[in-house]
Amino acid sequence: MVVSTKFNLDKRIFDDYYGADYFKKTKEILDKYKPNQQVTMQWFQRKNNTVICGIEMICELLRDSGVKNLIVEGLNDGDIANENEPVLKITGKYSDFAYLEGLIDGILSRASTVATNAFRVKNAANGKLVLNMNDRMDIYSTQQIDGYASYVGGISSLVTAASFEYIDLEANLNGTMPHALIASFDGDIIEATRAYKETFPNNNLVSLIDYNNDCVTDGLKVAREFKESLYAVRLDTSKALVDKSLQDLREEKDELHGVNPTLVKKLREELDKEGYNHVKIIVSSGFDEEKIKYFEQLNTPVDIYGVGEALTKNKVSFTGDLVLIDGKNQAKVGRQNISSNRIKSIKYI
């Protein structure tokens, strides 16, 4: 078995630990009855403008399997595919890769979902920095592939070391502070921010200002206290709340709840009035492609968007089908071998 390290694949894969039982049984049957049969399996998905990701991991999977006589054709990570377009084809003995079929489906699905969402969120932000905060939205074991897929989709500002594991970049961790830090200082945002500054003097100083649900007041407090050393403030107001600075305003459709354009504009105005134009505004809490577009359409003075759950929503599902048997068309009704001049031969060994 060839051992590669970029994706640090779990070697139990090759002991059928992750393969569905019916794939394992199919391999045994074909080894017995069709030992020399050559097949072509084709993978596709059902959405337009999908950012394909996971091809490189699949190549490593095939390489580490030790099987050398497969013909692999596919798109590249980062390519855009449309519905029903082939993104990957593998030709060879099905029994050589049958146990990997479900894993390939899953790799393409997870990685392409995150890459596509990252691409769309990044575009919606109109060139502004987007911070990937998805670590808290899913089990920790997804951080490596999600970080790689996020990078392929255009977002490389990540908050965990694990997220950089599959990326050819030096880990440059980004983040702010959690509400727990402020709570530990009895809700005193100034003391919490000072402790952060003194402990990590070389970090950009970012203060979280929604703890008391009074973002404008607390934003000004930290700006007055830390002046030029304050890099940014972050708003993370719950959708269930209306900030104290907006509670005298009349709202019609919950447009003043949570982090909203009116609140951000008011904060920016007050900071600028006192000369704190250098302080950037970071927003988080429920931001996805549509919410970012809404903020941008209203020219909301956001500098950085923090995005979490949005990166794993709108799942892209992939399906693999046998479409050729010994070079002849053979597929379930509704499926067929689709020629493509976009997929290219991939040397996986």
Side-chain angles (χ1 to χ4, degrees):
M1 182 183 296
V2 178
V3 178
S4 52
T5 59
K6 179 171 183 178
F7 294 105
N8 297 324
L9 298 176
D10 188 335
K11 302 312 173 188
R12 293 177 294 178
I13 290 171
F14 308 107
D15 295 325
D16 288 336
Y17 185 70
Y18 294 100
D21 184 63
Y22 51 86
F23 289 130
K24 293 185 286 184
K25 288 177 176 174
T26 298
K27 170 180 166 53
E28 290 186 30
I29 293 168
L30 293 181
D31 280 341
K32 181 178 180 180
Y33 292 98
K34 303 284 186 178
N36 300 313
Q37 188 178 75
Q38 296 288 304
V39 309
T40 295
M41 176 159 271
Q42 171 181 275
W43 278 266
F44 74 98
Q45 53 83 48
R46 299 175 177 83
K47 295 183 178 181
N48 287 324
N49 300 314
T50 294
V51 179
I52 300 303
C53 190
I55 299 293
E56 287 195 24
M57 178 178 274
I58 292 165
C59 287
E60 184 166 310
L61 185 69
L62 296 173
R63 181 164 59 250
D64 284 6
S65 74
V67 178
K68 299 181 179 180
N69 56 349
L70 298 174
I71 298 172
V72 181
E73 302 167 283
L75 297 179
N76 296 313
D77 284 349
D79 284 347
I80 307 294
N82 289 321
E83 61 176 338
N84 300 320
E85 179 182 1
V87 303
L88 176 68
K89 291 187 181 186
I90 299 177
T91 299
K93 290 174 61 176
Y94 182 61
S95 58
D96 282 343
F97 63 92
Y99 70 108
L100 301 177
E101 180 181 334
L103 278 72
I104 292 173
D105 289 344
I107 291 169
L108 286 171
S109 178
R110 179 73 186 199
S112 298
T113 294
V114 174
T116 301
N117 285 325
F119 178 75
R120 292 175 179 171
V121 163
K122 180 72 173 177
N123 284 346
N126 288 327
K128 295 178 180 177
L129 184 66
V130 178
L131 181 61
N132 179 340
M133 304 173 72
N134 192 52
D135 61 291
R136 68 187 65 193
M137 300 300 175
D138 216 328
I139 191 168
Y140 68 90
S141 57
T142 66
Q143 289 184 22
Q144 288 91 338
I145 187 61
D146 288 357
Y148 173 74
S150 173
Y151 173 71
V152 168
I155 297 176
S156 58
S157 295
L158 312 171
V159 298
T160 72
S163 299
F164 282 92
E165 186 172 329
Y166 300 161
I167 305 174
D168 294 327
L169 290 175
E170 182 178 350
N172 180 22
L173 300 180
N174 293 274
T176 58
M177 65 172 63
H179 294 99
L181 179 63
I182 301 172
S184 297
F185 285 85
D186 297 322
D188 190 327
I189 190 172
I190 298 297
E191 288 305 307
T193 304
R194 180 178 291 112
Y196 189 103
K197 181 177 185 294
E198 292 177 355
T199 306
F200 300 101
N202 296 323
N203 281 196
N204 285 332
L205 183 63
V206 180
S207 186
L208 181 59
I209 60 172
D210 65 281
Y211 188 87
N212 299 305
N213 195 38
D214 197 0
C215 288
V216 175
T217 298
D218 283 348
L220 288 171
K221 279 183 181 178
V222 293
R224 291 164 182 160
E225 178 69 26
F226 299 101
K227 298 181 172 59
E228 292 300 321
S229 62
L230 182 65
Y231 173 75
V233 292
R234 177 163 74 97
L235 292 74
D236 192 56
T237 308
S238 166
K239 293 179 182 178
L241 299 174
V242 174
D243 189 86
K244 289 180 182 177
S245 66
L246 305 183
Q247 289 177 3
D248 291 336
L249 301 180
R250 181 179 179 180
E251 69 174 345
E252 297 179 359
K253 296 181 179 179
D254 294 333
E255 73 276 5
L256 300 181
H257 278 70
V259 181
N260 62 80
T262 301
L263 177 58
V264 175
K265 289 177 180 180
K266 186 173 182 62
L267 174 62
R268 180 77 274 163
E269 180 181 0
E270 295 302 320
L271 286 170
D272 290 352
K273 275 183 184 178
E274 298 197 17
Y276 302 117
N277 312 70
H278 69 282
V279 176
K280 297 182 183 300
I281 296 177
I282 304 172
V283 295
S284 55
S285 186
F287 279 84
D288 57 14
E289 178 187 7
E290 294 307 313
K291 188 170 181 179
I292 292 173
K293 283 182 177 178
Y294 171 63
F295 270 58
E296 289 298 301
Q297 287 168 358
L298 295 179
N299 295 314
T300 310
V302 171
D303 297 290
I304 301 171
Y305 289 100
V307 177
E309 185 182 9
L311 295 177
T312 54
K313 295 197 302 185
N314 305 316
K315 191 173 182 64
V316 179
S317 296
F318 283 79
T319 299
D321 293 301
L322 288 187
V323 292
L324 295 175
I325 303 293
D326 291 328
K328 297 180 180 180
N329 290 323
Q330 182 58 254
K332 65 179 286 186
V333 173
R335 306 287 166 79
Q336 62 180 334
N337 182 47
I338 300 175
S339 61
S340 171
N341 59 8
R342 296 188 66 213
I343 60 172
K344 306 298 181 184
S345 177
I346 298 174
K347 187 177 181 180
Y348 69 94
I349 296 294

